[in-house]
């Protein structure tokens, strides 16, 4: 596996592959890779001739400097995992390489990017669109792979791809969970063993809520009350939304596709965990 740090070397390498008629898959990451990322990389390796995995802790999507500071950085272990998964290229540029000048572009796709994470982390999705659009321009992938754990992120990126008329396929890959049901996330390494156990209640309650025969508001209240009753967990928001636009729904009949998206604070630090469940 090649580890590339410069955009020009990346472009040259990919130009040569494309001349040979090879297809290219991109897996954008911020590093601190885990089994969830491995599943995306393996899928790209199976579906493309060349897989590029970007490892870039993108500062423009962090609205909280403390969150950026404590984000785990594990480049050597990340490269070892990517090599084992069969990726051909790890692209790990510096901040200067990606942002020689501040990125002043504004992306706006309401309500998809303005609700939930968009409301609680102002500027977050603008930063995601800034970096993902740059990565798409460097790599020009045939397909790009994203984890469904960040459900809202995939919806926003799909809107951006449509808006910019980019001819690539966005592949949404299922959430990979720990045995306890906790969604795999780089942030899980910041939890203590005990907090990991507590956090498993999030998905347990979400799954339980699928079996309720009740209205949207009652299901919403059930989830929030049950999770808040677990010591060490505090729901920031739980929204039951249209699975594509992410607009709130009031009645199950409002949409063919309905998803419940949640963010919960866990532990004393506290660590912010996100998850979702599909109702239909
Ligand atoms: O999901 C992530 O890890 C990041 O938001 C992404 C897509 C790599 C952009 O920095």
């Amino acid at each position: 596996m090649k580890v590339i740090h410069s955009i020009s070397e990346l472009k040259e390498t990919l130009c040569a592959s494309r001349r040979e008629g090879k297809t290219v898959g991109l897996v954008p990451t911020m590093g601190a890779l885990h089994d969830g990322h491995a599943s995306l990389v393996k899928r790209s390796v199976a579906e493309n001739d060349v897989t590029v995995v970007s490892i870039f802790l993108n500062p423009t999507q962090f609205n909280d400097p403390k969150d950026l500071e404590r984000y785990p950085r594990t480049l050597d272990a990340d490269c070892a995992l990517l090599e084992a998964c069969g990726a051909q290229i790890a692209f790990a540029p510096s901040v200067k390489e990606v942002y020689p000048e501040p990125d002043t572009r504004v992306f706006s796709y309401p309500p998809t990017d303005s609700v939930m994470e968009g409301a609680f982390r102002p500027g977050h999705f603008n930063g995601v669109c800034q970096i993902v659009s740059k990565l798409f321009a460097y790599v020009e992938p045939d397909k790009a792979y994203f984890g469904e754990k960040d459900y809202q992120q995939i919806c926003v990126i799909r809107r951006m791809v449509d808006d910019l008329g980019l001819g690539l396929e966005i592949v949404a890959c299922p959430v990979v969970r720990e045995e306890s049901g906790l969604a795999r996330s780089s942030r899980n390494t910041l939890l203590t063993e005990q907090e990991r156990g507590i956090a498993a209640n999030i998905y347990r309650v979400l799954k339980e809520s699928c079996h309720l025969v009740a209205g949207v508001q009652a299901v919403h209240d059930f989830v929030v009350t049950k999770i808040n009753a677990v010591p060490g967990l505090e729901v920031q928001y739980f929204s039951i939304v249209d699975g594509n636009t992410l607009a709130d729904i009031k009645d199950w009949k409002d949409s063919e596709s309905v998803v419940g998206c949640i963010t919960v604070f866990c532990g004393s630090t506290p660590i912010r965990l996100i998850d979702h469940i599909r109702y239909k």
Side-chain angles (χ1 to χ4, degrees):
M1 186 183 74
K2 249 183 157 173
V3 181
I4 296 179
H5 300 285
S6 86
I7 298 164
S8 57
E9 189 187 344
L10 177 70
K11 284 188 169 178
E12 270 165 38
T13 309
L14 291 172
C15 225
S17 303
R18 242 182 244 101
R19 268 199 303 272
E20 293 166 22
K22 292 184 172 166
T23 56
V24 178
L26 169 67
V27 184
T29 82
M30 296 202 297
L33 304 182
H34 50 70
D35 285 359
H37 296 107
S39 75
L40 307 183
V41 177
K42 285 181 189 157
R43 176 132 177 220
S44 174
V45 168
E47 295 181 357
N48 301 278
D49 301 314
V50 177
T51 289
V52 180
V53 182
S54 59
I55 300 174
F56 180 67
L57 193 48
N58 174 39
T60 72
Q61 70 187 75
F62 285 82
N63 59 319
D64 174 0
K66 275 203 219 99
D67 193 21
L68 174 60
E69 204 179 291
R70 67 172 171 238
Y71 203 90
R73 289 155 171 87
T74 56
L75 185 61
D76 291 344
D78 292 348
C79 288
L81 179 140
L82 295 181
E83 184 121 45
C85 291
Q88 282 75 20
I89 299 174
F91 175 52
S94 65
V95 173
K96 202 98 214 249
E97 179 75 1
V98 174
Y99 297 112
E101 299 293 335
D103 193 337
T104 54
R105 292 173 302 156
V106 176
F107 297 83
S108 177
Y109 304 115
T112 316
D113 65 347
S114 57
V115 297
M116 303 190 294
E117 291 300 284
F120 284 97
R121 301 178 68 190
H124 169 65
F125 287 118
N126 197 54
V128 169
C129 288
Q130 286 175 340
I131 185 59
V132 173
S133 61
K134 277 177 180 271
L135 293 169
F136 286 172
Y138 306 154
V139 177
E140 295 183 53
D142 298 280
K143 296 181 182 186
Y145 297 78
F146 295 88
E148 273 198 330
K149 187 184 101 30
D150 296 302
Y151 188 85
Q152 185 173 9
Q153 172 169 274
I154 295 186
C155 298
V156 173
I157 290 170
R158 285 193 198 283
R159 289 280 307 270
M160 181 188 77
V161 166
D162 281 352
D163 178 38
L164 303 181
L166 306 177
L168 79 149
E169 187 185 333
I170 299 298
V171 183
C173 303
V175 181
V176 176
R177 298 186 178 277
E178 299 188 357
E179 228 171 272
S180 67
L182 175 63
R184 292 232 186 245
S185 161
S186 305
R187 288 191 170 86
N188 292 359
T189 58
L190 304 172
L191 298 170
T192 63
E193 250 340 282
Q194 196 203 3
E195 286 167 346
R196 269 176 125 103
I198 291 170
N201 285 291
I202 301 168
Y203 189 56
R204 183 183 61 71
V205 173
L206 288 176
K207 272 197 309 190
E208 231 180 291
S209 74
C210 287
H211 303 298
L212 291 183
V213 181
V216 172
Q217 187 62 47
V219 170
H220 171 275
D221 295 350
F222 170 87
V223 168
V224 174
T225 308
K226 277 260 177 164
I227 293 181
N228 280 340
V230 178
L233 294 183
E234 191 191 336
V235 176
Q236 185 176 42
Y237 67 81
F238 176 55
S239 301
I240 300 180
V241 295
D242 176 284
N244 298 308
T245 65
L246 307 185
D248 265 335
I249 67 146
K250 301 264 171 278
D251 192 291
W252 299 115
K253 290 199 288 285
D254 286 352
S255 172
E256 298 283 285
S257 159
V258 179
V259 175
C261 296
I262 195 160
T263 290
V264 180
F265 291 112
C266 178
S268 48
T269 311
I271 303 301
R272 224 174 152 262
L273 299 172
I274 68 174
D275 206 341
H276 72 278
I277 192 98
R278 181 167 287 282
Y279 290 111
K280 60 193 262 218

